Amino acid sequence: MQEFDPMNRGFASYRSPRTIALVGKYHSLEIAESLRRLAEYLYERGVSVFIERETAEHIGKKVDLSRWVTCGFNDIGAHADLAIVLGGDGTMLNAARRLARYCVPLVGVNQGRLGFMTDIARNDMLTCMDDLLDGRFSPENRMLLAAEVTRDGKEVASNMALNDVVVDKGAIGRMIEFELFIDGEFIYNLRSDGLIVSTPTGSTAYSMSAGGPILNPTLTGIALVPLCPHALSNRPIIVNDSTDIELRIVNADDPRVHFDGQVTLDLERGDCVRLRRSEHTICFLHPPGYSYFAMLRQKLQWSERPKGP
C-alpha cells in the first residue's frame, strides 16, 4: 500500500513548496479573478506557478494568464510540490483521481456550495497562503477505491474513485438485479435501483443522501449502501478496507457504473464490477484550526451547543 510517507517527495516539499500548481473549475468563469490573484500572490512570494492546461484554456479567456507556465496533470504530478484546487468538491474529485498516483498533496479553496473537501473560503484565500507557504498546514491521508469492469473474463475498463463507485439501473425505470460477493463469499442477491460503494470521504456525498452512515475520514472502512432496495432488510453495511468486493450483474435493462459521479460506463448483463482499496492515497492539506466535526456542523447545519452554564 502506497502511503503518504514523510520521507517521500510530496511530504518533504509541501512544508516549503517552491512549485505550486493551480487547478480551477473548468466551466466557471467566476473563479478567473480569484485564480489570477492567487497566482500573482504566490509569484510575489517567490513560488513557481503552474496553471493546469484545461483551466487555463477556459478561464484564460477572461483574465491574462500568459506569464505563468501552462501544463497538464502529468507534468503537475512530476514537478509540482502541491496543487491548490479552486472550485467545489467536483473539481477536487477530478484533480484527486488525476494526481493520486503522483503523491501530490491537495489544498482546496471553496468556490462552490457545500465544499466538504475544500476547506478554505474564497474570502480567506490569500490570508491562508502564509500559513501554507510556512508549512503550518497539516496533512491527512484519504483512501481511494480501485475498480475494474470485466466482461466474459476480460477487463474492459478500470478507474479510481475518491468518493464512491455506484452501480445503478440507468435511465430505464426497472430495477437492477445483481449478486454481491465479499472476498469470494456470496452475500446476497440484491434487487434495487443500485448500490453505492463509498469511501469514508464519500460518506457525506451520495451515500449520506441514500441513508448511509457518515464515516470519519481517518477510518479505513468501505460502506455498501443499497439504493431503494426491494427487500427492506437490505441495509447499509461497512466492510474492512482490505476486502475484495464483486458485483455481478444478473438482470438489468440499462445498467451503468459511475466513478465519483463524473465518469460513467455502460454495463451489460453478466458483467462484473470488482472493487478494492487502491494502492494510491490522496493527501489533503488542512489549514491551522481545521476540525472535521466543526466542518460537519457548519455544512450540515447541525445545532450549535446551547449557551449558558
Side-chain angles (χ1 to χ4, degrees):
M1 188 68 62
Q2 181 176 340
E3 295 290 347
F4 191 65
D5 193 308
M7 299 303 293
N8 72 22
R9 176 183 64 86
F11 188 95
S13 57
Y14 100 80
R15 292 194 176 277
S16 55
R18 306 312 309 157
T19 302
I20 294 179
L22 304 183
V23 181
K25 186 175 181 180
Y26 294 161
H27 302 293
S28 175
L29 295 180
E30 289 78 8
I31 72 157
E33 183 58 27
S34 295
L35 190 142
R36 183 195 63 79
R37 290 171 53 221
L38 180 56
E40 288 186 348
Y41 181 88
L42 294 172
Y43 180 79
E44 291 171 357
R45 288 290 305 267
V47 174
S48 297
V49 176
F50 291 169
I51 309 294
E52 190 272 325
R53 180 174 293 116
E54 293 187 57
T55 301
E57 288 175 355
H58 285 85
I59 69 173
K61 301 173 184 177
K62 188 171 182 179
V63 296
D64 182 13
L65 302 175
S66 59
R67 62 190 295 189
W68 295 290
V69 175
T70 299
C71 61
F73 279 106
N74 289 340
D75 287 328
I76 291 174
H79 301 292
D81 297 321
L82 60 89
I84 300 177
V85 179
L86 293 87
D89 285 350
T91 312
M92 181 68 86
L93 288 169
N94 179 63
R97 290 197 311 276
R98 304 287 289 273
L99 292 173
R101 69 187 73 248
Y102 300 106
C103 296
V104 175
L106 301 180
V107 176
V109 176
N110 185 19
Q111 305 278 330
R113 288 171 292 182
L114 283 177
F116 285 96
M117 289 179 281
T118 47
D119 302 331
I120 302 172
R122 177 170 52 185
N123 294 337
D124 299 329
M125 176 180 67
L126 296 185
T127 58
C128 288
M129 287 302 107
D130 287 340
D131 285 328
L132 175 65
L133 298 180
D134 292 340
R136 289 191 286 270
F137 273 43
S138 57
E140 180 186 47
N141 285 333
R142 300 289 182 95
M143 64 169 284
L144 295 95
L145 291 171
E148 65 177 23
V149 179
T150 59
R151 182 172 299 153
D152 299 324
K154 298 179 182 179
E155 181 180 315
V156 295
S158 63
N159 211 325
M160 287 191 294
L162 175 59
N163 259 359
D164 49 43
V165 176
V166 180
V167 176
D168 69 14
K169 61 185 177 58
I172 298 176
R174 298 186 183 92
M175 289 187 293
I176 184 175
E177 181 179 354
F178 55 81
E179 296 175 332
L180 172 67
F181 294 83
I182 295 178
D183 288 335
E185 178 184 355
F186 174 76
I187 304 302
Y188 55 55
N189 184 288
L190 180 66
R191 298 180 69 231
S192 66
D193 284 353
L195 181 74
I196 303 169
V197 182
S198 171
T199 67
T201 298
S203 68
T204 52
Y206 194 7
S207 174
M208 181 177 68
S209 297
I214 295 177
L215 304 180
N216 190 293
T218 59
L219 297 175
T220 54
I222 300 172
L224 307 178
V225 182
L227 288 169
C228 302
H230 185 262
L232 297 181
S233 57
N234 288 124
R235 309 308 301 163
I237 60 174
I238 300 171
V239 298
N240 192 286
D241 71 313
S242 64
T243 58
D244 290 322
I245 301 166
E246 181 176 344
L247 307 176
R248 298 180 187 175
I249 308 300
V250 175
N251 191 21
D253 293 309
D254 185 30
R256 296 179 296 190
V257 59
H258 311 267
F259 305 94
D260 283 339
Q262 296 180 335
V263 180
T264 298
L265 177 71
D266 291 331
L267 299 174
E268 299 178 2
R269 296 184 189 183
D271 284 357
C272 293
V273 180
R274 294 191 172 96
L275 302 157
R276 66 184 186 282
R277 177 172 178 161
S278 171
E279 64 178 339
H280 304 291
T281 59
I282 197 69
C283 174
F284 288 162
L285 297 180
H286 298 300
Y290 169 82
S291 163
Y292 178 72
F293 291 108
M295 180 273 295
L296 289 182
R297 284 197 303 273
Q298 177 189 6
K299 303 298 182 181
L300 301 180
Q301 300 181 10
W302 288 348
S303 58
E304 298 290 337
R305 177 182 297 178
K307 293 180 170 45

